[in-house]
């Protein structure tokens, strides 16, 4: 590790990754945003899924001030975040064949909807089957993943494929295998993951572009406002009433 404090070096690494995705993923961001805007305009619903820490970026766009009210979290009990005990159970559930099908069969997802599947490695059964199962049901899928894993690791799914192989659009987070940006001679393992910073930024860039795309078409984007600003609750009540049949986090 070169000169500079660990904090400085982490910020440098994160900024570098953000610059890369800004420059290299701009077309994919526009395509993903267009897919979301098309789905909203045609009466479809929006969903986001991620397991473990990948769920953080999914949760960040659900029921979010300044975000699209129609984005719903697709949950897999025990696999969303690290709130399950033991936390290692969530990692184990990602490798269970058939779990995604069970979730999709009982979810509100239907043909014409859009699903964002977030998985850093994209190698486990859950994100692979979530994407394939959703597409088989007529759902359009956006994958957010690090494509590097497909060339530097092996798939844990029986098909030998990765999430990136089963998406309509792929957003590459550029995160290195292992998700740790820093090394020190005095520390035996690499440390300081940046995937949440980058993946969350990618998701917000897509949502922002989708909102602007809808506005360009003369459609008011169904955005939420902060409940901590005057009039925010009234605004949100109007949006949730108008789009109540496409919002599932209220029920």
């Amino acid at each position: 590790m070169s000169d500079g404090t660990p904090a400085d070096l982490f910020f440098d690494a994160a900024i570098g990754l953000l610059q890369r995705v800004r420059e290299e993923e701009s077309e994919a961001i526009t395509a993903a945003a267009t897919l979301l805007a098309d789905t909203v305009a045609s009466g479809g619903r929006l969903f986001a899924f991620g397991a473990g820490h990948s769920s953080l970026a999914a949760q960040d766009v659900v029921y979010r001030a300044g975000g699209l009210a129609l984005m719903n979290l697709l949950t897999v009990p025990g696999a969303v975040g690290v709130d399950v005990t033991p936390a290692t159970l969530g990692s184990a559930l990602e490798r269970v064949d058939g779990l995604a099908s069970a979730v999709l069969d009982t979810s509100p997802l239907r043909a014409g909807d859009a699903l964002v599947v977030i998985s850093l490695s994209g190698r486990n059964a859950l994100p692979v089957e979530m994407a394939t199962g959703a597409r088989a049901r007529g759902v359009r899928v956006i994958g957010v993943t690090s494509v590097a894993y497909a060339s530097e690791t092996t798939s844990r799914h029986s098909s030998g494929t990765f999430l990136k192989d089963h998406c309509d659009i792929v957003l590459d987070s550029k995160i290195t295998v292992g998700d740790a940006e820093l090394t020190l001679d005095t520390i035996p393992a690499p440390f300081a993951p940046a995937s949440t910073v980058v993946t969350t930024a990618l998701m917000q860039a897509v949502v922002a572009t989708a909102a602007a795309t809808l506005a360009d078409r003369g459609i008011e984007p169904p955005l939420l406002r902060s409940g901590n600003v005057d009039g925010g609750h009234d605004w949100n009540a109007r949006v949730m009433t108008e789009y109540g049949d496409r919002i599932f986090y209220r029920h």
Side-chain angles (χ1 to χ4, degrees), residues 165-195:
D165 301 315
H166 305 286
C167 301
D168 296 283
I169 298 164
V170 175
L171 297 172
D172 183 4
S173 64
K174 318 293 183 183
I175 300 296
T176 57
V177 173
D179 191 18
E181 295 299 321
L182 304 184
T183 57
L184 272 177
D185 292 341
T186 54
I187 298 178
F191 61 104
S195 60

Side-chain angles (χ1 to χ4, degrees), residues 223-236:
L223 296 171
L224 294 174
R225 300 193 70 180
S226 171
N228 296 313
V229 300
D230 292 342
H233 288 298
D234 291 338
W235 173 283
N236 292 341

Side-chain angles (χ1 to χ4, degrees), residues 141-214:
V141 175
I142 299 167
V144 185
T145 188
S146 171
V147 172
Y149 276 83
S151 59
E152 298 181 37
T153 69
T154 57
S155 171
R156 289 188 176 128
H157 188 250
S158 57
S159 67
T161 61
F162 289 75
L163 169 62
K164 73 172 187 65
D165 301 315
H166 305 286
C167 301
D168 296 283
I169 298 164
V170 175
L171 297 172
D172 183 4
S173 64
K174 318 293 183 183
I175 300 296
T176 57
V177 173
D179 191 18
E181 295 299 321
L182 304 184
T183 57
L184 272 177
D185 292 341
T186 54
I187 298 178
F191 61 104
S195 60
T196 303
V197 173
V198 177
T199 304
T200 300
L202 270 171
M203 289 296 295
Q204 291 295 351
V206 169
V207 171
T209 307
T213 300
L214 286 166

Side-chain angles (χ1 to χ4, degrees), residues 17-87:
L17 285 163
L18 289 170
Q19 288 175 330
R20 280 192 66 195
V21 297
R22 178 182 184 178
E23 296 167 2
E24 299 173 19
E25 298 301 298
S26 60
E27 290 185 10
I29 289 169
T30 299
T34 300
L35 191 158
L36 295 187
D38 289 346
T39 303
V40 172
S42 62
R45 294 87 58 82
L46 310 178
F47 295 84
F49 165 77
H53 288 94
S54 290
S55 179
L56 297 175
Q59 294 180 57
D60 193 57
V61 293
V62 175
Y63 187 50
R64 193 70 161 89
L68 291 172
L70 306 193
M71 185 65 77
N72 301 278
L73 188 67
L74 183 63
T75 59
V76 177
V80 179
V82 291
D83 57 341
V84 63
T85 303

Side-chain angles (χ1 to χ4, degrees), residues 80-165:
V80 179
V82 291
D83 57 341
V84 63
T85 303
T88 51
L89 175 60
S91 298
L93 289 173
E94 288 188 67
R95 300 191 289 272
V96 174
D97 292 337
L99 180 56
S101 293
V103 170
L104 289 169
D105 285 342
T106 55
S107 79
L109 268 170
R110 67 187 184 193
D113 291 345
L115 170 64
V116 182
V117 179
I118 305 170
S119 174
L120 177 60
S121 73
R123 68 188 300 218
N124 290 310
L126 187 53
V128 170
E129 293 179 0
M130 194 67 76
T132 57
R135 291 179 89 189
R137 290 164 172 79
V139 174
R140 301 290 298 280
V141 175
I142 299 167
V144 185
T145 188
S146 171
V147 172
Y149 276 83
S151 59
E152 298 181 37
T153 69
T154 57
S155 171
R156 289 188 176 128
H157 188 250
S158 57
S159 67
T161 61
F162 289 75
L163 169 62
K164 73 172 187 65
D165 301 315

